[in-house]
């Protein structure tokens, strides 16, 4: 295994950009099905508009240049090439902080956040199979990713650091604390701890049961079951996502629409360009299928449980219930009124998110 850390720059060949534009121009759209709004999926009129914007207005080169402003590297860990951003703070005693993205995001999720965390040494690895990181060759899980990140931080010379995660990262971050409790200062996740299940109903108050009913009625719960789809046949669907940019656009639009917990229309929560930069990274790297492994390597859906050793904080507790989260965590930070956003809060509310990260780690470092 090589311990070399090599500088990396994004440089998508012009032929790939031209191919994308040609495929978008030749797209064969279906007829609109009966039903109101999004009741049958992404409306054809909306997708046509965004596809045309992607083809004629969106400027990948401008966003590629912006991403290349972040120092980026590739290193080999456990036989896999790992892409990561490493943005050092000007503060000499800054705490290193690992940010771990989830699905359907990439490291692009943190593009607006990193500049707000100048009092941290920020490390943003791309999860294996996402973006420019190699895909796993064997069965894999959050513990294996966490072990890779611990090795990465050791390779970078960091003995003590904080960890953050959302979505899949909310499983990885606590695993890092389990592996290296003497190194991890604190575990901070966007949400998911203490989320109630039907098994918890007998212990819940009337108000908590109403909150549970509300949660189960949200699009991010009852929408298209990507867990089942990606667990059962990711190879089958990857043909469409990898070959047709409109199919990929429709799929990502569906999931971003369902995962949007901000209470605002998606394009008010996340700019169209930010959404398309994330999507374009999937398209140019051909990682729609390889990024599905956290699902096809799982057997069931389960909320993050966390860990009991290292202090834990969340961006926003509800709809989690703190006493349920404290069954398996040492909770020291549980705000209930941070601005909404949840799954995409780093993109939707980067300033509020950065402020809350700073508040949590001031308590534990």
């Amino acid at each position: 295994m090589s311990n070399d850390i090599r500088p990396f720059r994004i440089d998508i060949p012009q032929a790939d950009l031209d191919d994308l534009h040609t495929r978008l121009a030749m797209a064969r759209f279906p007829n609109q099905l009966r039903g109101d709004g999004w009741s049958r999926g992404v409306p054809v009129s909306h997708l046509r508009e965004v596809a045309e914007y992607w083809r004629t207005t969106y400027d990948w080169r401008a966003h590629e240049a912006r991403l290349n402003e972040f120092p980026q590297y590739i290193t080999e860990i456990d036989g896999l090439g790992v892409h990561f951003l490493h943005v050092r703070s000007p503060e000499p005693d800054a705490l290193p902080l690992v940010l771990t993205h989830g699905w359907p995001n990439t490291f692009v999720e943190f593009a607006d956040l990193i500049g707000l965390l100048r009092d941290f040494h920020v490390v943003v690895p791309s999860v294996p199979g996402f973006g420019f990181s190699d895909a796993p060759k064997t069965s894999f899980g959050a513990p294996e990713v966490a072990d890779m990140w611990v090795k990465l931080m050791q390779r970078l010379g960091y003995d003590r650091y904080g960890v953050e995660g959302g979505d899949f990262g909310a499983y990885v971050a606590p695993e890092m604390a389990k592996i290296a409790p003497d190194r991890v200062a604190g575990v901070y996740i966007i949400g998911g701890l203490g989320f109630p299940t039907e098994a918890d109903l007998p212990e819940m108050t009337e108000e908590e049961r109403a909150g549970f009913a509300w949660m189960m009625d949200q699009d991010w719960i009852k929408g298209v079951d990507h867990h089942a789809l990606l667990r059962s046949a990711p190879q089958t669907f990857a043909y469409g996502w990898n070959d047709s940019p409109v199919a990929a656009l429709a799929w990502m639009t569906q999931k971003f629409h369902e995962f949007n917990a901000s209470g605002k229309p998606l394009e008010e929560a996340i700019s169209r360009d930010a959404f398309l930069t994330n999507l374009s990274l999937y398209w140019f790297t051909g990682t729609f299928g390889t990024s599905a492994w956290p699902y096809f390597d799982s057997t069931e859906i389960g909320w993050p449980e966390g860990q009991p050793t290292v202090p834990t904080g969340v961006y926003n507790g509800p709809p989690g219930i703190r006493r349920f989260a404290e069954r398996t965590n040492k909770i020291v930070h549980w705000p209930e009124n941070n601005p909404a956003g949840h799954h995409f809060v780093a993109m939707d509310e980067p300033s509020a998110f950065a402020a809350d990260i700073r508040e949590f780690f001031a308590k534990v470092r």
Side-chain angles (χ1 to χ4, degrees), residues 149-221:
W149 287 186
V150 169
K151 291 173 180 174
L152 173 62
M153 295 303 281
Q154 183 175 8
R155 189 170 299 177
L156 293 174
Y158 293 134
D159 296 325
R160 185 168 171 80
Y161 44 86
V163 297
E164 180 277 343
D167 188 74
F168 181 63
Y171 300 83
V172 174
E175 291 295 333
M176 293 181 70
K178 292 179 185 178
I179 293 168
D182 56 330
R183 292 175 176 262
V184 175
V187 174
Y188 180 91
I189 67 172
I190 291 174
L193 293 181
F195 274 20
T197 66
E198 289 189 3
D200 296 312
L201 285 171
E203 300 180 48
M204 293 164 63
T205 66
E206 185 175 341
E207 182 180 357
E208 289 168 346
R209 291 181 185 182
F212 175 66
W214 172 88
M215 182 181 82
M216 298 305 293
D217 193 48
Q218 300 306 298
D219 283 345
W220 48 275
I221 291 287

Side-chain angles (χ1 to χ4, degrees), residues 23 54 103 226 229-230 233-252 255 279 282-284 286-292:
R23 288 171 186 263
W54 195 11
W103 184 94
H226 61 284
L229 187 154
L230 294 174
Q235 185 71 66
T236 298
F237 293 98
Y239 293 111
W241 299 325
N242 203 64
D243 186 63
S244 167
V246 169
L249 174 62
W251 175 235
M252 285 293 188
K255 295 315 300 179
L279 170 60
Y282 274 92
W283 175 261
F284 290 130
T287 49
F288 292 102
T290 59
S291 65

Side-chain angles (χ1 to χ4, degrees), residues 128-347:
F130 290 72
F132 300 105
S133 286
D134 291 344
K137 300 179 178 67
T138 60
S139 184
F140 223 62
E144 286 75 18
V145 177
D147 186 63
M148 294 177 75
W149 287 186
V150 169
K151 291 173 180 174
L152 173 62
M153 295 303 281
Q154 183 175 8
R155 189 170 299 177
L156 293 174
Y158 293 134
D159 296 325
R160 185 168 171 80
Y161 44 86
V163 297
E164 180 277 343
D167 188 74
F168 181 63
Y171 300 83
V172 174
E175 291 295 333
M176 293 181 70
K178 292 179 185 178
I179 293 168
D182 56 330
R183 292 175 176 262
V184 175
V187 174
Y188 180 91
I189 67 172
I190 291 174
L193 293 181
F195 274 20
T197 66
E198 289 189 3
D200 296 312
L201 285 171
E203 300 180 48
M204 293 164 63
T205 66
E206 185 175 341
E207 182 180 357
E208 289 168 346
R209 291 181 185 182
F212 175 66
W214 172 88
M215 182 181 82
M216 298 305 293
D217 193 48
Q218 300 306 298
D219 283 345
W220 48 275
I221 291 287
K222 68 176 187 178
V224 175
D225 191 348
H226 61 284
H227 288 265
L229 187 154
L230 294 174
R231 187 164 57 241
S232 58
Q235 185 71 66
T236 298
F237 293 98
Y239 293 111
W241 299 325
N242 203 64
D243 186 63
S244 167
V246 169
L249 174 62
W251 175 235
M252 285 293 188
T253 300
Q254 177 75 37
K255 295 315 300 179
F256 269 69
H257 173 76
E258 290 176 351
F259 286 173
N260 174 24
S262 70
K264 300 176 288 190
L266 179 60
E267 290 194 352
E268 290 182 19
I270 300 173
S271 74
R272 183 176 286 185
D273 275 23
F275 168 77
L276 287 174
T277 300
N278 187 70
L279 170 60
S280 296
L281 188 64
Y282 274 92
W283 175 261
F284 290 130
T285 58
T287 49
F288 292 102
T290 59
S291 65
W293 69 261
Y295 299 94
F296 67 73
D297 277 348
S298 66
T299 57
E300 60 184 2
I301 299 171
W303 298 117
E305 292 185 357
Q307 50 76 47
T309 305
V310 173
T312 294
V314 298
Y315 171 76
N316 198 314
I321 298 172
R322 180 165 184 164
R323 70 178 186 281
F324 290 171
E326 288 176 337
R327 294 166 175 167
T328 52
N329 293 272
K330 186 191 297 182
I331 301 293
V332 301
H333 184 74
W334 187 268
E336 299 195 357
N337 297 304
N338 276 333
H342 295 282
H343 201 281
F344 301 119
V345 69
M347 303 174 83

